[in-house]
Amino acid sequence: MRSGEVTMQEFFPRRGLPNVIQKLENGETVTIVYFGGSNTRSAGYRVMTADWLREQYPEADIRSVNAGIDGTGSDLGCARLETDVLRHQPDLVFVEFVGNDGGVPESKARIEGIVRQIRKMSRFTDILFVYTLKERDVAGFQSGEYQKGALMQEEVADYYGIPSIHLGVAVSQLVTEGKLVFTSKAGESFPGAVVFTHDSIHPLIPEGHQIYTDTITRSFERIRELRASSGRVEHNLPQATLVPSNPWEYASMQPLDGLAHLSAGWSYVTPDDFELARKYDWLFPGLWRAVDPGEAITVQFEGTHIGLFDIGGPDSGRLKVTVDGGEPFLVDRFTSYNDHNRNQFVFLPELPNGRHTVRFEIDNEKTDKAAVFEASGNERSRQHVQEHPDWYDQTVIQLGKLLLVQPPV
């Protein structure tokens, strides 16, 4: 090791992955759910690690489930866990949300909510935390500091005995050694060095994701070596939560039907009759769509949080929201990313646990969409508004699901 270099631990085994390893070694059917954001959804480490496991355990029937959604964090993760993870009855769940959580304080509670939902389904399902990195994280690793979000998840991992892998350790070491260029433009090459990303966030496939995969597989080999028991291991689920009064294990994703009262101007579009619904049929069976100001939905629920899982785009409007008859406030469904259609979501601020009435009404005022792009420094998208003014001069809202957090009252 060179003078001044910092050695960091990339793998924390804790209680390991005893149950999935036993099933793999016995040649049984094993279901692995990869749960996270865009780095999980892409055909990178998810595909590569599943292929490696198939090579290691040719007698086992390994079934891999892609439960990654671009641009989403552990808050939506808590709500969609039943739909996207638990219904598959997984033997192993990869959890990858550090990048999109961004180190917000609430992340610890939400990650704990994910763990507790999995453990309530089965005490024998193994969980593995994997922490990806962005270019801005490299300097921290080089000075011996993990990401803030990873440190919060590590508290959860310690409390519940979950193994974790810091993928940034190997990547940062390669940067230090001059063997890896984290970000470069497409087409640039650097003799003797691997280019990791073109955007400072998403590793290239296969080059960048191969480094992630190599880190995970060598950690898996260590987990295998450290396994102390050949029997099934029942994982712990403490009655007391790590985060006091944590409501997030009671998060769910629900259809609007039956829970929301919609005004007359809403229509339900399906993949059979609407192109955008076809594009997102992997997320929603259909979309509730309204285009005119004044159209509203009203939801009565018991709990602490309510949110919307929707599709945003150039035509998106904003919502005037009223909670329990209080002062209205605005929730804009147009964002700096909406020069194209994309899945997105929003939670309202936390409420006291109890019964609430929330009204979402399409606002008659329109967002200055060119100004949104200008403020984010996105000149290309600002020009897009000028080229297609009719696309942006609309107040469309397209809803897929309700998001609710409903702990016992």
Side-chain angles (χ1 to χ4, degrees):
M1 183 175 72
R2 300 174 188 171
S3 175
E5 285 187 10
V6 178
T7 301
M8 298 181 72
Q9 188 172 335
E10 70 178 10
F11 170 56
F12 293 82
R14 299 189 177 90
R15 298 193 71 192
L17 305 172
N19 300 316
V20 72
I21 290 176
Q22 181 182 22
K23 293 188 75 171
L24 288 167
E25 291 177 346
N26 291 343
E28 299 178 45
T29 297
V30 168
T31 299
I32 303 174
V33 176
Y34 292 84
F35 188 43
S38 54
N39 281 322
T40 293
R41 180 162 180 78
S42 70
Y45 87 88
R46 170 180 57 82
V47 173
M48 294 175 177
T49 56
D51 286 345
W52 180 84
L53 287 168
R54 291 185 182 104
E55 292 172 1
Q56 295 288 305
Y57 302 99
E59 300 301 316
D61 178 12
I62 298 174
R63 302 176 182 181
S64 172
V65 177
N66 183 358
I69 300 181
D70 296 356
T72 65
S74 59
D75 43 3
L76 180 66
C78 282
R80 67 184 181 91
L81 199 69
E82 173 62 39
T83 301
D84 294 350
V85 178
L86 302 185
R87 70 180 180 89
H88 298 288
Q89 297 184 309
D91 299 289
L92 171 62
V93 181
F94 280 73
V95 178
E96 177 267 312
F97 285 118
V98 160
N100 288 334
D101 277 2
V104 298
E106 297 83 2
S107 176
K108 181 164 67 174
R110 295 161 181 168
I111 290 295
E112 182 180 32
I114 288 171
V115 170
R116 293 186 70 86
Q117 285 189 60
I118 296 171
R119 291 276 166 89
K120 284 193 293 186
M121 179 204 72
S122 170
R123 299 285 188 91
F124 298 97
T125 296
D126 293 336
I127 304 170
L128 176 63
F129 288 174
V130 292
Y131 309 129
T132 59
L133 84 163
K134 301 177 181 180
E135 185 167 23
R136 68 188 184 201
D137 302 321
V138 171
F141 277 101
Q142 291 174 324
S143 62
E145 298 176 0
Y146 298 109
Q147 305 110 305
K148 180 180 178 182
L151 292 175
M152 286 190 289
Q153 290 199 31
E154 286 291 85
E155 292 182 53
V156 178
D158 277 336
Y159 192 68
Y160 292 94
I162 295 168
S164 61
I165 304 173
H166 294 263
L167 300 174
V169 172
V171 173
S172 300
Q173 183 64 33
L174 291 170
V175 172
T176 300
E177 294 171 355
K179 298 177 181 178
L180 185 145
V181 175
F182 202 99
T183 303
S184 80
K185 296 178 181 178
E188 288 185 320
S189 62
F190 299 84
V194 173
V195 173
F196 193 63
T197 78
H198 290 325
D199 64 1
S200 79
I201 297 171
H202 301 98
L204 299 177
I205 300 173
E207 299 89 347
H209 271 276
Q210 187 62 58
I211 297 169
Y212 278 178
T213 300
D214 291 344
T215 305
I216 293 168
T217 56
R218 67 172 165 263
S219 298
F220 198 95
E221 288 173 339
R222 286 195 59 201
I223 293 172
R224 191 163 49 189
E225 293 166 1
L226 293 170
R227 189 159 66 101
S229 170
S230 59
R232 295 180 80 201
V233 173
E234 184 172 3
H235 294 297
N236 63 315
L237 180 61
Q239 184 175 355
T241 55
L242 174 65
V243 177
S245 303
N246 187 356
W248 284 95
E249 67 182 280
Y250 302 101
S252 67
M253 185 167 66
Q254 302 290 341
L256 274 71
D257 314 51
L259 291 174
H261 174 76
L262 294 93
S263 60
W266 291 86
S267 59
Y268 187 67
V269 297
T270 70
D272 294 332
D273 54 30
F274 198 71
E275 182 180 355
L276 191 66
R278 282 194 294 277
K279 181 178 178 182
Y280 288 96
D281 63 354
W282 61 283
L283 282 179
F284 311 119
L287 295 168
W288 285 100
R289 189 172 191 272
V291 301
D292 296 322
E295 298 297 343
I297 70 168
T298 303
V299 183
Q300 291 186 329
F301 79 105
E302 287 189 357
T304 58
H305 295 78
I306 185 171
L308 303 172
F309 194 11
D310 59 341
I311 303 298
D315 56 2
S316 289
R318 60 189 191 181
L319 294 166
K320 184 166 61 177
V321 182
T322 305
V323 178
D324 298 330
E327 285 295 314
F329 58 94
L330 292 175
V331 173
D332 204 339
R333 302 317 297 135
F334 179 84
T335 76
S336 60
Y337 299 102
N338 287 145
D339 60 358
H340 62 285
N341 291 310
R342 64 192 296 271
N343 56 269
Q344 56 189 28
F345 69 98
V346 62
F347 277 97
L348 300 189
E350 184 171 2
L351 299 167
N353 193 16
R355 188 165 185 79
H356 302 285
T357 300
V358 181
R359 188 174 190 270
F360 302 88
E361 178 185 328
I362 301 179
D363 192 36
N364 57 4
E365 297 281 336
K366 294 177 182 176
T367 298
D368 185 342
K369 297 176 179 179
V372 171
F373 290 138
E374 186 174 6
S376 67
N378 193 335
E379 178 62 23
R380 179 184 61 80
S381 295
R382 191 184 68 81
Q383 292 177 355
H384 195 249
V385 179
Q386 297 173 344
E387 294 166 1
H388 304 281
D390 292 346
W391 293 3
Y392 288 88
D393 189 26
Q394 300 182 61
T395 56
V396 176
I397 298 294
Q398 302 177 113
L399 304 177
K401 292 287 181 71
L402 287 174
L403 309 174
L404 299 172
V405 181
Q406 300 178 284
V409 177

